[in-house]
Amino acid sequence: MASSRNEAPVTVACLQMEPVFGETAHNVAASIAMIEQAAAKGANLLVLPELCNTGYVFASREEAFSLAEVIPQGASTQAWIDCAARLNIYLVAGITERENESLYNSAVIIGPEGLIGRYRKVHLWGDEALFFEPGNLGFPVFKTRIGTLGCQICYDCWFPESFRMAALQGADIVCVPTNWVPIPGQDPGREAMANILVMAASHTNSLYIAAADRVGIERDQPFIGQSLITSYTGWPVAGPASSKNPEIVLATINLADAKRHRNWNDFNQVLKDRRPDVYTLP
C-alpha cells in the first residue's frame, strides 16, 4: 500500500446551477450559496459553469461589454476571492472578462490566498466568435497545495490536444466550466456526447476531469446539465447530474492516482507511448 505521505486526497464538487441572464449580483450570490453548501459537505475544490456570473446568450457585443469585468478587480472575482479565503477552498469559475477593448470567455482559478490565475477559452463556439477573442494564454496548468490543476471551457473538450497539453504539463485534474447545448443526432438513451468526450479524455490521458454544466433555457437556448466528475480511468466517480435541475455533484478522489496509475501494464504508459515523430502529415 502506498505511504500516506504520497497521497493527494481532495473532495471535488461541480456546482450545476441556472444563471439568470444579466443578473450578475444575483448569480454570484446564488453561486456562493451553492459553494457554501458544497464546502459544508467537505468540498475543497469547486467548479462553477461557464459564464456563470452573467449568463451566456448575448444579443450584441455592446451588451457583452456592459456585463464584462476586469480580472481580478471586478465584483464577481472579488466576491469569489473573499468566499475562497473564508472557506479555505479552491474555486474555478466561468466569467465574462474584459481587458481594454477585448472580451474573453474566461475562467478564474482562485485559492484561499487569492487569485491563482485565469484561463481564456481557446476554441470559440457558434456566436461566441461575434463577442469574444480566442484565448491567447494557451493551456496553462496551475500548481496548488492540493495538486496541479488544468482548465478548459466547454468546446475545448472537443479537441484532444487540449487535454493532452494539460497532461504533458503535469496536470492531475482538469476543471471544465461549461455550457453544453443539445447536439444533433443525440441518442436519448445514451450518455450525452459531452460526457463521452470527457470520459475518453480522462482515460486516454490518465486525468481526473470535473465538468460543471448549467441547466435551464436562456433566450430560447436550452442547456443540458449532466455535470460529472471522471476518474483517471475514464469512468465517472460522480454524476452525470440531472439534465434539468440545479445539483451539486461531489466526489472524494486521490489526485496522486492520476500519475501513479499511468502505467497500464509492464509495457504501456499512455503519455510515454506517444510517437510525435510520426504525428505529422506527409
Side-chain angles (χ1 to χ4, degrees), residues 35 77-91 110-115:
I35 290 166
T77 304
Q78 286 298 310
W80 288 325
I81 286 173
D82 292 344
C83 181
R86 174 168 55 87
L87 298 175
N88 193 36
I89 58 168
Y90 292 83
L91 177 65
I110 295 168
E113 285 134 19
L115 182 70

Side-chain angles (χ1 to χ4, degrees), residues 6-12 44-45 89-92 109-112 116 140-151 166 169-175 207-208 253-259 262:
N6 296 327
E7 306 307 309
V10 60
T11 299
V12 183
N44 56 343
L45 173 59
I89 58 168
Y90 292 83
L91 177 65
V92 179
I109 297 85
I110 295 168
I116 296 170
V141 299
F142 306 92
K143 295 187 181 298
T144 75
R145 294 180 184 178
I146 60 172
T148 301
L149 315 180
C151 185
Q169 294 178 86
D172 304 307
I173 184 169
V174 175
C175 301
L207 283 170
Y208 289 97
I253 60 178
N254 186 355
L255 293 182
D257 286 339
K259 293 185 175 76
R262 278 189 182 144

Side-chain angles (χ1 to χ4, degrees), residues 261-280:
H261 296 299
R262 278 189 182 144
N263 292 304
W264 288 344
N265 55 47
D266 290 340
F267 300 98
N268 297 111
Q269 201 263 38
V270 65
L271 297 183
K272 291 181 180 177
D273 286 345
R274 295 171 63 245
R275 289 285 311 279
D277 57 308
V278 297
Y279 299 158
T280 56

Side-chain angles (χ1 to χ4, degrees), residues 187-238:
D187 182 342
R190 294 287 307 274
E191 307 95 333
M193 179 59 70
N195 288 170
I196 294 170
L197 290 167
V198 166
M199 292 163 61
S202 283
H203 176 71
T204 55
N205 293 286
S206 191
L207 283 170
Y208 289 97
I209 299 175
D213 196 12
R214 63 161 292 174
V215 290
I217 299 173
E218 183 180 289
R219 291 179 167 174
D220 298 324
Q221 174 62 64
F223 299 93
I224 68 169
Q226 300 174 72
S227 304
L228 78 166
I229 302 167
T230 54
S231 164
Y232 63 91
T233 63
W235 299 113
V237 291

